[in-house]
Amino acid sequence: MRILVVEDEAPMAELLRRCLAENGFAVDVAATGEDGLWYAGETDYDVIVLDVMLPGTDGFGVLREIRAAGRWAPVLLLTARDAVEDRVRGLDLGADDYLVKPFALAELLSRLRALMRRGARERPAVLTVGDLSLDPATRSVARDGTPITLTAKEFALLECLMRRPGQVLSKAELIGHVWDFTFDADSNVVEVYVGYLRQKIDRPFGRRSLRTSRGAGYWLRDDRKDDANRKDDADHARPVG
């Protein structure tokens, strides 16, 4: 298993390198945020250990750029600061775990093993489907950069759909995730809120991304593909000469 350690304090970096190597890991060490970004861009790591307090680009900046580049290796943040806002910021940017210095090496190894079991699956901090974006941390939604104001339930319904794009979700599934399992399954609340969402995320923009699969449920797709297909059809149908 290959690990990247991004740590600017030389004694700590060497301690981590030696400990991880003794436990059978292949280890690369970067002393700056810029070097860490280069390593992360060149190699598919099984996990990244990232110090927050780095010279130049700090750990939060490195994490943001790693995720923006589509690199989904699990990231464990290390920090000497135990402020709640720091932990919240790191996790919202896409970190998978957080460890405050000083720490026991046995705990570090245990956390790394747990992260490796999860694997490098895609888990963006901001959800996107086509030009529609949703940020769970800031509770904000936008279409092609234009902000959209949603109620709490509208936001929850959209987030549920955006976490499983292209997948039909039944009325019962949506009620279970957005309301609760004790809610009346015969209620038309899902239909009502789907209508509200369409009025806000689709119709003002000339979109049809929130779809109904009759008798099955609802799903969200990137409807810009429809526009591209219609354009291709029109181009092919246009007479030549």
Side-chain angles (χ1 to χ4, degrees):
M1 306 295 280
R2 194 168 194 86
I3 292 181
L4 172 63
V5 174
V6 188
E7 169 62 66
D8 66 310
E9 296 180 8
M12 173 62 75
E14 176 57 22
L15 175 64
L16 293 174
R17 187 201 64 75
R18 188 170 66 250
C19 170
L20 293 169
E22 288 173 354
N23 281 273
F25 298 106
V27 187
D28 291 326
V29 177
T32 67
E34 290 74 14
D35 286 347
L37 284 170
W38 184 87
Y39 275 104
E42 292 295 313
T43 303
D44 290 325
Y45 289 97
D46 295 291
V47 69
I48 297 173
V49 178
L50 177 60
D51 186 35
V52 170
M53 302 295 289
L54 294 170
T57 304
D58 67 8
F60 294 131
V62 172
L63 177 59
R64 184 184 299 108
E65 293 195 38
I66 286 174
R67 295 304 189 225
R71 294 290 185 170
W72 303 111
V75 172
L76 172 66
L77 288 180
L78 300 179
T79 183
R81 302 185 303 190
D82 192 22
V84 172
E85 56 267 27
D86 286 339
R87 298 200 300 273
V88 169
R89 183 183 177 191
L91 294 170
D92 281 342
L93 285 171
D96 298 273
D97 201 356
Y98 215 104
L99 197 55
V100 177
K101 298 177 180 177
F103 52 83
L105 291 174
E107 182 180 3
L108 171 70
L109 291 168
S110 179
R111 288 176 181 267
L112 292 179
R113 288 192 294 268
L115 290 178
M116 289 177 180
R117 288 195 295 269
R118 299 177 196 174
R121 60 182 179 82
E122 184 174 344
R123 47 193 178 283
V126 177
L127 307 176
T128 59
V129 178
D131 57 1
L132 183 66
S133 63
L134 180 148
D135 187 337
T138 61
R139 308 290 293 175
S140 59
V141 176
R143 169 79 80 178
D144 198 21
T146 301
I148 300 171
T149 301
L150 300 180
T151 67
K153 286 300 183 188
E154 290 166 353
F155 186 95
L157 179 59
L158 181 60
E159 181 177 2
C160 185
L161 291 162
M162 290 187 71
R163 288 193 180 279
R164 295 157 76 179
Q167 182 176 343
V168 177
L169 300 179
S170 70
K171 180 178 173 179
E173 286 178 294
L174 293 170
I175 286 176
H177 281 283
V178 179
W179 287 269
D180 59 58
F181 287 107
T182 64
F183 201 87
D184 182 6
D186 293 327
S187 167
N188 68 340
V189 66
V190 174
E191 291 86 344
V192 170
Y193 274 85
V194 165
Y196 292 159
L197 273 182
R198 284 178 172 145
Q199 292 286 356
K200 293 183 177 183
I201 69 170
D202 278 348
R203 285 171 188 155
F205 303 92
R207 298 291 190 192
R208 293 184 61 250
S209 61
L210 181 45
R211 304 294 184 92
T212 301
S213 182
R214 198 164 300 279
Y218 301 92
W219 56 294
L220 198 70
R221 62 159 289 158
D222 179 4
D223 73 331
R224 294 178 305 173
K225 298 172 183 176
D226 294 341
D227 294 339
N229 290 336
R230 284 193 290 269
K231 182 178 183 301
D232 288 343
D233 290 342
D235 290 342
H236 288 310
R238 187 176 298 132
V240 178

